[in-house]
Amino acid sequence: MTYDPQKHHRRSIRLKGYDYSQAGAYFITIVTQDRTCLFGAVVDGEMRLNEFGEIVAWTWRDLPNHVLNMELDAFVVMPNHVHGIIVITDASANPVGAGAEPAPTERAPTKRYALPEIMRQFKTFSARRINEQHGTPGLPVWQRNYYEHIIRNDYELNRIREYIVNNPLQWALDRENPEIVIPIGQTQGQPRGIAPTKDEPWRT
């Protein structure tokens, strides 16, 4: 099977009509624009963050300081994407992001937010800091969308945690790795094959 970026990029599996403000655990993947490796490199199975990777990690850890109804679980910054688990803990209030409300400023008091607004904050704030550091105001850092998976039970939660923790060890097989080795049977000059990993290994 040849690699087709229109078919094989990570797509949102957002469920139509699903209320992403309700309490639950969500597995998130966000990929950089054009899959550019901005955040460092994997060396001997260990992710070595550069200054931009440190900004991304700090922005993720800072999210609970701006959002009341969330907790952070496993998380990893990879060269060109991040994986993380967000737990929405309280859906009792009407959260921003479930409807059309103004986006908060970076210094706004903490509020309750739905998952799409939490992701918007993370992408916006991390991109702003990276562009300030890099001197490239307005340059896209992240792909427009993100991938999310609703974690439905403890089995999935534990498998996803394991997947996130071990992600640097699997970089050579990661479908987001732009230097993925061409599979056996293909030669240089042929279309690159899709990386031999599954999007949802916790289901196997």
Side-chain angles (χ1 to χ4, degrees):
M1 180 186 296
T2 57
Y3 179 81
D4 183 342
Q6 296 304 313
K7 294 180 180 179
H8 297 142
H9 66 290
R10 294 189 186 273
R11 296 188 298 269
S12 169
I13 56 170
R14 213 153 293 130
L15 298 178
K16 185 176 181 179
Y18 185 84
D19 180 7
Y20 282 93
S21 68
Q22 68 179 320
Y26 302 88
F27 170 56
I28 304 297
T29 298
I30 314 175
V31 183
T32 60
Q33 182 77 6
D34 299 324
R35 297 166 62 245
T36 303
C37 293
L38 292 177
F39 306 140
V42 175
V43 179
D44 296 329
E46 180 182 344
M47 181 62 196
R48 307 284 179 85
L49 298 179
N50 61 20
E51 58 182 338
F52 299 148
E54 294 287 357
I55 288 172
V56 168
W58 184 91
T59 305
W60 180 270
R61 293 192 299 267
D62 189 51
L63 281 172
N65 293 325
H66 304 273
V67 181
L68 282 175
N69 58 312
M70 67 164 290
E71 295 176 359
L72 301 177
D73 203 286
F75 176 68
V76 67
V77 182
M78 296 296 290
N80 62 2
H81 65 279
V82 300
H83 294 302
I85 297 173
I86 283 181
V87 181
I88 294 181
T89 58
D90 179 9
S92 60
N94 183 28
V96 176
E101 293 200 20
T105 63
E106 193 165 353
R107 298 299 180 183
T110 52
K111 297 180 181 180
R112 291 176 171 83
Y113 293 106
L115 182 67
E117 177 62 15
I118 295 171
M119 291 297 93
R120 189 207 67 79
Q121 287 193 51
F122 171 73
K123 293 172 71 174
T124 298
F125 298 164
S126 58
R128 181 183 303 163
R129 293 186 180 106
I130 287 171
N131 282 326
E132 287 173 353
Q133 187 75 16
H134 201 227
T136 52
L139 188 70
V141 172
W142 302 104
Q143 289 184 2
R144 180 179 178 183
N145 211 339
Y146 62 91
Y147 169 96
E148 92 288 325
H149 170 79
I150 303 163
I151 302 175
R152 301 187 182 277
N153 52 55
D154 286 343
Y155 172 78
E156 283 191 5
L157 177 61
N158 290 329
R159 288 291 299 239
I160 291 169
R161 284 170 172 163
E162 180 182 1
Y163 174 76
I164 291 172
V165 170
N166 292 329
N167 212 232
L169 292 172
Q170 301 297 320
W171 178 235
L173 300 177
D174 197 310
R175 68 186 304 164
E176 304 300 347
N177 186 342
E179 298 181 354
I180 193 75
V181 176
I182 296 174
I184 296 174
Q186 293 190 11
T187 60
Q188 296 291 339
Q190 289 184 301
R192 186 183 65 193
I194 187 170
T197 55
K198 297 180 180 180
D199 279 343
E200 297 182 345
W202 46 93
R203 289 189 181 275
T204 60

